[in-house]
Amino acid sequence: MDDWTFRAEQVTKVFGELRANDGITLQVRPGEVYGLLGPNGAGKTTLVKQVIGLLKPSSGSLTLGTYDLVEDPDAARQLCSYLPQAQMPIDSFKPHQVISLTGMIRGGDPVTVRQRSEEMIEALDIGEWRDTMGARLSGGIKRLVGFAMVTVWPGRVVILDEPTNDVDPRRRRLLWEQIRRLGDGGASVFLVTHNVLEAEKSVDRLAIINDGRLIAEGTPSSLKSEDRGRMRLQLMMVPGHATPEMPAFVHHHTRVGNNVMAAISEADSAHAIGWAQELMRLDEAEEYALAATTLEDVYIRMTGHVSEDMGGEVQA
Amino acid sequence: MTAPQAVEATPFTVNAGVGHWLQSYMMMTRWELTSLRMLLPLIVAIQIVIGGGFALGVGLLSDQMPTRAALYLSTGVTVVTLITVGLVMGPQLVANHKTAGTYDFMWSLPVPRTTQAVAWVTVNSVIALPGMVAALLIANWRYDLPLQVTLSIVPAVLLTIVTATMVGYAFAHAIRKPMITQLITTLVIFVILGFAPINFPPENLPDWLATVNLGLPFYHMAVVMRGGLTEGLVTNVGISYLVLGAYTVASVVVAAWVVGRRD
Ligand SMILES: Nc1ncnc2c1ncn2[C@@H]1O[C@H](COP(=O)(O)OP(=O)(O)O)[C@@H](O)[C@H]1O
Ligand SMILES: [Mg+2]
């Protein structure tokens, strides 16, 4: 078989009254790193759990080439590697052991798996903890070990649910390099995240989901096309203060908490700064910032949420 | 250092068949035993103390235990140790997985689900057998019993342990809240100890309760174990094998159904 395209068609998952996934259709081609973005509770984990057979869709289909992943969960588990959002059970293992053992469970031969396991330990720079019992590892290192476990012998589809959680910035970059490499090896990487800025740099295509629905899909630059030539004016309002009336040069704006994000044309930058300073003088705003638009702006506009990293940036 | 090669995505085909099953079974057994490596000596020691302690403790009830009663007791204790591991220890270990949130990963591994269940039986046996043997040896030493161990102890132990483990496994997997699992298994074990003729003959029970027990697996577990450990203490062992065998099949079917279920 040479078609290894992953397809989700009209996937709907209902929990009681809640439509956690609502008619989601998307495709991931071999070699592609596909990001799945959305705020907490959007339904990302629910979608990937159906791919690996931990949940069953209420309706719709999930296929990999000619394999029906819903009908044949045994095949789904062999064809897809899965790093869950939840903890990995590695407390009584040493990293190099558990990476090799999982690789062998995934069908790798012992010699190659051991060799690759050492390579991954080095590539992720976790050699210091190669022989440390899992129970004594920090959350970030555990996450990296988990990543190495599920990718040391990767399946056709590699599902990573929030792989960078708790990982320090330097090793995050190493992790992203390894994620790219999975694509180079021909796997379809299906990557769940709510870190929009990281995803923007590293994914080939992405989907934004909100309230169970896929609301946008494309390459990072195609999603940003509407904001081309625009800047983001970010106003931090005095807590509780009402959103000020928008001047005519603001294309659109979003408020999240005390933050107001306004999209403006580059040509209007000077006007925007003047307006922001006036708001500060009137004690309506505490601070402002003007920056190039990123995927984050698209994301905020579409979901009404700021991503986690952005939230940190705003408070700083 | 040269960067590692891009790792090629596999597989090209989906595995099935006996070879794949056996391979997966061995891997999962290795996984479970390694996971328990730190706890294993403690768990086994506790099982030995429970088994031995029970054998000695009940003996305190009377100064001069008649041989027949002692024989009932010490063979019954072996059944109790096997059942406690399957119905109490096993579910608690599964509940630990659930509490730790590590369940999703274990359930996503590319092995047949049945291999995970059978690996579980294997691990439970490793835990239970030392306690069972210890209970028997201690009782034998304390009461000087006319034990006659025959080969039929092997199927007796297997059926008992598989049934108890699979019922516990199905419980633990079917019930979402680990707390509830533990309450239920604790309740089950007390009911079994008090109201099933394991450590004493069924004649000691009121007729109706003895009749009820004919339809439950516990009495039959005790009968087949006694068949393998003594000469002439029990009769109609064949019927007990049939009833227990049916329970074993049913417990395996239910466990397979539970683990194959998707929400
Ligand atoms: N097993 C379940 N039963 C009921 N509701 C669930 C279950 N799993 C998830 N949900 C709900 O479905 C929604 C989507 O959850 P999830 O897929 O985990 O979101 P995300 O991964 O995008 O943060 C949430 O509202 C969550 O509470
Ligand atoms: Mg999630």
Side-chain angles (χ1 to χ4, degrees):
Chain A
M1 187 170 91
D2 28 56
D3 174 22
W4 290 101
T5 304
F6 168 74
R7 293 184 179 84
E9 300 270 357
Q10 291 297 323
V11 172
T12 296
K13 178 66 186 177
V14 182
F15 293 119
E17 298 279 280
L18 178 79
R19 295 177 85 80
N21 287 164
D22 194 353
I24 292 184
T25 297
L26 55 84
Q27 289 193 8
V28 188
R29 288 183 288 268
E32 197 169 40
V33 177
Y34 189 98
L36 197 58
L37 266 68
N40 273 329
K44 308 180 294 296
T45 297
T46 302
L47 180 62
V48 297
K49 278 190 178 178
Q50 294 169 86
V51 179
I52 195 75
L54 291 173
L55 291 171
K56 194 174 183 181
S58 308
S59 64
S61 73
L62 292 157
T63 54
L64 179 61
T66 54
Y67 289 101
D68 183 334
L69 303 179
V70 178
E71 281 305 305
D72 191 352
D74 280 314
R77 294 200 304 277
Q78 288 187 36
L79 293 166
C80 308
S81 306
Y82 173 56
L83 177 67
Q85 187 177 3
Q87 288 281 317
M88 297 288 274
I90 59 170
D91 278 1
S92 27
F93 294 89
K94 295 172 180 173
H96 78 96
Q97 277 181 333
V98 77
I99 297 169
S100 304
L101 182 54
T102 315
M104 286 188 264
I105 292 175
R106 287 218 58 81
D109 70 278
V111 176
T112 318
V113 159
R114 263 185 220 115
Q115 183 195 333
R116 284 184 183 178
S117 149
E118 299 300 339
E119 284 172 2
M120 295 212 63
I121 287 174
E122 186 159 344
L124 296 168
D125 191 21
I126 52 176
E128 200 180 319
W129 299 279
R130 181 184 178 278
D131 295 298
T132 307
M133 212 47 107
R136 294 213 297 275
L137 298 175
S138 71
I141 302 302
K142 270 192 187 169
R143 205 72 195 136
L144 292 166
V145 173
F147 173 80
M149 285 162 70
V150 302
T151 59
V152 66
W153 200 267
R156 291 278 159 190
V157 176
V158 176
I159 302 165
L160 305 169
D161 198 343
E162 316 252 3
T164 59
N165 276 6
D166 300 330
V167 176
D168 62 86
R170 193 173 63 79
R171 290 196 178 80
R172 262 184 201 212
R173 276 195 294 280
L174 301 176
L175 179 56
W176 277 110
E177 266 171 40
Q178 294 305 309
I179 292 173
R180 292 277 6 152
R181 184 157 285 139
L182 288 169
D184 300 342
S188 307
V189 182
F190 200 31
L191 183 126
V192 174
T193 180
H194 52 237
N195 189 326
V196 184
L197 293 176
E198 259 182 8
E200 174 170 13
K201 283 179 278 175
S202 314
V203 305
D204 297 313
R205 283 195 306 135
L206 60 97
I208 299 179
I209 66 173
N210 196 27
D211 290 336
R213 267 191 290 273
L214 194 152
I215 54 177
E217 198 203 24
T219 62
S221 67
S222 75
L223 286 173
K224 280 195 304 189
S225 63
E226 197 189 319
D227 283 331
R228 194 153 290 143
R230 290 185 181 174
M231 305 282 283
R232 176 213 317 156
L233 176 68
Q234 189 173 344
L235 295 166
M236 191 152 151
M237 302 307 293
V238 169
H241 201 287
T243 307
E245 182 133 345
M246 293 294 137
F249 59 78
V250 171
H251 295 289
H252 51 78
H253 72 283
T254 322
R255 179 170 182 148
V256 181
N258 290 315
N259 277 284
V260 175
M261 261 81 51
I264 60 163
S265 300
E266 270 175 71
D268 290 320
S269 301
H271 293 130
I273 292 174
W275 176 55
Q277 285 173 339
E278 177 68 8
L279 291 174
M280 282 173 65
R281 199 180 57 74
L282 295 172
D283 280 340
E284 292 189 24
E286 289 182 335
E287 246 180 78
Y288 75 91
L290 189 65
T293 51
T294 63
L295 192 59
E296 183 82 40
D297 297 273
V298 182
Y299 178 83
I300 293 169
R301 175 154 42 85
M302 290 188 157
T303 64
H305 289 263
V306 253
S307 80
E308 218 170 52
D309 282 25
M310 177 91 176
E313 198 178 281
V314 167
Q315 280 149 24
Chain B
M1 184 198 105
T2 53
Q5 293 282 301
V7 178
E8 195 189 359
T10 48
F12 296 98
T13 53
V14 169
N15 285 320
V18 180
H20 173 63
W21 195 95
L22 281 176
Q23 174 85 0
S24 303
Y25 161 70
M26 287 190 299
M27 293 286 176
M28 291 321 297
T29 305
R30 191 164 144 198
W31 180 286
E32 294 291 357
L33 285 176
T34 316
S35 301
L36 284 175
R37 168 172 58 182
M38 319 282 234
L39 282 177
L40 210 54
L42 180 67
I43 295 178
V44 170
I46 288 177
Q47 282 310 121
I48 292 176
V49 172
I50 292 177
F54 204 87
L56 292 177
V58 181
L60 300 174
L61 293 177
S62 65
D63 306 340
Q64 279 289 267
M65 174 96 58
T67 302
R68 196 177 142 83
L71 210 46
Y72 258 96
L73 175 66
S74 43
T75 50
V77 170
T78 62
V79 182
V80 173
T81 59
L82 297 184
I83 296 178
T84 33
V85 169
L87 278 178
V88 180
M89 194 80 80
Q92 275 174 14
L93 292 170
V94 174
N96 281 352
H97 261 311
K98 286 199 170 176
T99 325
T102 50
Y103 202 69
D104 286 350
F105 175 72
M106 293 310 290
W107 254 190
S108 74
L109 288 172
V111 295
R113 287 274 160 84
T114 46
T115 62
Q116 285 168 291
V118 178
W120 195 240
V121 173
T122 311
V123 171
N124 277 259
S125 307
V126 169
I127 295 173
L129 290 179
M132 184 196 104
V133 173
L136 214 48
L137 290 177
I138 290 173
N140 196 27
W141 158 78
R142 170 74 173 74
Y143 309 112
D144 193 21
L145 300 171
L147 289 181
Q148 296 223 339
V149 182
T150 58
L151 258 187
S152 65
I153 190 66
V154 175
V157 167
L158 267 180
L159 289 178
T160 303
I161 212 161
V162 169
T163 308
T165 305
M166 286 297 99
V167 169
Y169 195 72
F171 255 126
H173 283 287
I175 298 171
R176 281 207 177 77
K177 291 223 178 353
M179 253 310 268
I180 309 259
T181 308
Q182 300 194 358
L183 287 175
I184 290 182
T185 52
T186 312
L187 183 73
V188 166
I189 203 72
F190 276 107
V191 169
I192 291 171
L193 289 182
F195 301 101
I198 294 177
N199 291 308
F200 45 83
E203 297 88 72
N204 295 14
L205 286 174
D207 281 350
W208 68 270
L209 197 50
T211 312
V212 168
N213 269 293
L214 286 179
L216 294 174
F218 310 111
Y219 165 66
H220 301 288
M221 289 173 175
V223 171
V224 298
M225 289 291 287
R226 284 189 181 111
L229 292 170
T230 63
E231 188 62 62
L233 187 64
V234 284
T235 50
N236 288 334
V237 180
I239 290 176
S240 288
Y241 266 110
L242 278 181
V243 177
L244 182 55
Y247 267 101
T248 308
V249 171
S251 69
V252 169
V253 169
V254 170
W257 176 75
V258 167
V259 299
R261 222 174 34 138
R262 279 174 292 169
D263 284 338

